[in-house]
Amino acid sequence: MDNISVGGLVGIVALIVFVIFIISTIARALQIVPQAETRVVERLGRYSRTLEAGMHILVPFVDKVRQRVDMREQVVSFPPQSVITSDNLVVEIDTVIYFQVNESKSAVYEIANYIVGMQQLTVTTLRNVIGTMDLEQTLTSRDQINGQLRGVLDEATGKWGIRVNRVELKAIEPPMSVKDSMEKQMRAERDRRATILTAEGIKQSAILTAEGEKQSAILKAEGEAQSRILKAEGEARAILQVFDAIHEGDADSKLLSYQYLQMLPEIAKGTNNQMWFVPTEFTGALKAISAGFGVNEELEPLGRAEGSERRKSRITSALADPRAALEEARRQAEGVSAEADRAGSESGRPFNPDVEKGQ
């Protein structure tokens, strides 16, 4: 009984192992390749075929998958590399490469590691290209450097089954001393531009200020000229109006003497008035006054110039009735003359201390 049970147990174990072996063999023979990926298959150590996307069946223990290859575009960033320019300056340059595998067989069998190969090829090509340029050209010619790198890499990696799509210089780092010099240069350039702009602003401000002052002076002078013209015209109109009023009213010496007597207090107000100007027409008025003191002289009327004729006023009179105003002035002048005559007649009497006037 024991021998039978042990033999049955061994058979069951053997059956289980066989089943597992069959399942693993079928799993290895059945290959499912995802999209955008290929697999290089070797048969007995030699290249057999390349499996594309889909399900494939391999011969167990005869076919073997050598390598899986990603067919999508890949991006590789290489560490900074020290490169010497033509003016003997060391710069650190970071590069980024965009590539894609076109042929899986060449990528597997033509080169052991195409990533390392592209990195070294990039470094050598970059040094050759930068070695012919100075620092300023290196900093300003990125497109040219990218184009030369891409051309060299694409040509060299073509036999590896790889196509280089783009090459970019991620960063170009000059030495710290050069950085400081560049910053000082840029700061000086900015200061120069700021100084020029400030000077231009001051210049424009001065020009505009001068223009404004010029226009202001012109306008002020024009205003003063207009004011003086208007004032002169007003005075001329006033003189003409007075002149016409006097001649239209036929003024005589009594009226002029009355006007002069009214102006005497105003003339006497000044402390420095030591000389008085007496018009020639006033002599007739003096004769009228002297007649009040008993001196009989014929009054000389205020005559007109020879050849002068009564003319019409040249301006509109501001008075309601000029003749009435002149008659009123004559009456006042006659009153003054009467007072003068009375004072002259009373001057011959004996002195009376009780009387202050007329003595």
Side-chain angles (χ1 to χ4, degrees):
M1 295 294 295
D2 295 336
N3 293 332
I4 294 173
S5 60
V6 172
L9 182 59
V10 171
I12 292 171
V13 172
L15 180 62
I16 293 173
V17 171
F18 179 75
V19 171
I20 293 174
F21 175 74
I22 295 298
I23 292 173
S24 63
T25 301
I26 295 174
R28 294 181 62 183
L30 185 62
Q31 293 288 327
I32 299 176
V33 182
Q35 186 67 34
E37 185 177 316
T38 59
R39 295 180 182 180
V40 177
V41 178
E42 294 179 350
R43 178 168 291 178
L44 301 176
R46 297 183 63 181
Y47 173 76
S48 175
R49 65 185 185 277
T50 301
L51 303 180
E52 302 293 337
M55 186 177 65
H56 302 273
I57 298 176
L58 303 179
V59 178
F61 306 106
V62 177
D63 294 339
K64 177 184 177 182
V65 177
R66 168 67 183 271
Q67 188 172 345
R68 299 179 179 182
V69 181
D70 192 349
M71 303 300 293
R72 295 173 297 179
E73 185 175 6
Q74 302 181 46
V75 181
V76 180
S77 178
F78 298 141
Q81 302 294 327
S82 298
V83 183
I84 301 176
T85 61
S86 61
D87 49 357
N88 297 324
L89 292 176
V90 180
V91 294
E92 299 289 333
I93 300 179
D94 298 347
T95 54
V96 180
I97 297 179
Y98 300 81
F99 69 94
Q100 187 175 11
V101 178
N102 291 332
E103 188 177 354
S104 302
K105 179 182 176 181
S106 298
V108 174
Y109 293 104
E110 294 296 332
I111 186 171
N113 190 336
Y114 54 82
I115 299 295
V116 177
M118 284 191 297
Q119 180 182 1
Q120 298 301 321
L121 184 61
T122 301
V123 171
T124 55
T125 306
L126 190 62
R127 288 177 178 175
N128 292 333
V129 173
I130 299 300
T132 60
M133 300 180 178
D134 56 14
L135 180 61
E136 185 175 358
Q137 292 177 341
T138 301
L139 296 174
T140 58
S141 304
R142 292 197 176 194
D143 293 338
Q144 180 181 354
I145 297 172
N146 294 338
Q148 294 182 7
L149 285 175
R150 181 183 177 281
V152 173
L153 291 174
D154 194 24
E155 181 181 359
T157 58
K159 62 180 181 180
W160 300 343
I162 297 174
R163 182 183 64 190
V164 177
N165 297 327
R166 293 179 62 187
V167 178
E168 296 289 343
L169 300 182
K170 186 168 61 175
I172 300 177
E173 297 292 337
M176 292 302 299
S177 59
V178 176
K179 280 187 177 181
D180 295 338
S181 300
M182 293 173 63
E183 290 178 359
K184 291 179 181 179
Q185 181 180 0
M186 293 301 298
R187 190 180 301 110
E189 182 68 19
R190 287 193 294 269
D191 293 340
R192 184 182 69 85
R193 293 180 181 178
T195 303
I196 292 174
L197 292 177
T198 303
E200 288 291 336
I202 295 174
K203 176 183 175 182
Q204 292 296 329
S205 176
I207 292 174
L208 293 177
T209 302
E211 288 291 337
E213 293 177 353
K214 175 183 175 182
Q215 293 295 330
S216 175
I218 292 173
L219 294 176
K220 184 177 180 180
E222 291 179 354
E224 292 179 355
Q226 292 294 333
S227 175
R228 292 180 180 179
I229 290 172
L230 293 176
K231 185 176 180 180
E233 290 179 355
E235 292 177 353
R237 289 177 63 86
I239 292 172
L240 289 175
Q241 186 172 355
V242 173
F243 182 79
D244 290 343
I246 292 173
H247 283 79
E248 287 178 3
D250 194 14
D252 55 8
S253 59
K254 293 181 178 181
L255 176 62
L256 294 179
S257 62
Y258 171 72
Q259 293 292 331
Y260 184 75
L261 290 174
Q262 285 186 334
M263 291 299 299
L264 286 178
E266 298 295 330
I267 297 175
K269 286 182 179 180
T271 57
N272 296 325
N273 292 332
Q274 297 179 359
M275 181 180 294
W276 293 1
F277 294 92
V278 179
T280 58
E281 291 82 356
F282 190 66
T283 57
L286 291 179
K287 290 180 179 181
I289 296 174
S290 62
F293 290 95
V295 181
N296 294 324
E297 290 186 4
E298 185 179 358
L299 298 177
E300 295 181 1
L302 182 62
R304 298 180 183 268
E306 295 182 358
S308 63
E309 298 178 356
R310 181 177 297 274
R311 56 184 177 81
K312 188 177 181 180
S313 176
R314 289 172 289 178
I315 59 173
T316 303
S317 176
L319 299 174
D321 190 357
R323 295 183 178 275
L326 289 175
E327 290 297 333
E328 179 66 22
R330 284 197 186 97
R331 286 195 296 270
Q332 294 180 3
E334 290 176 356
V336 172
S337 298
E339 290 180 359
D341 293 341
R342 187 170 54 256
S345 60
E346 292 178 355
S347 60
R349 297 179 181 180
F351 177 77
N352 187 0
D354 297 332
V355 180
E356 296 181 357
K357 295 182 180 180
Q359 299 296 321

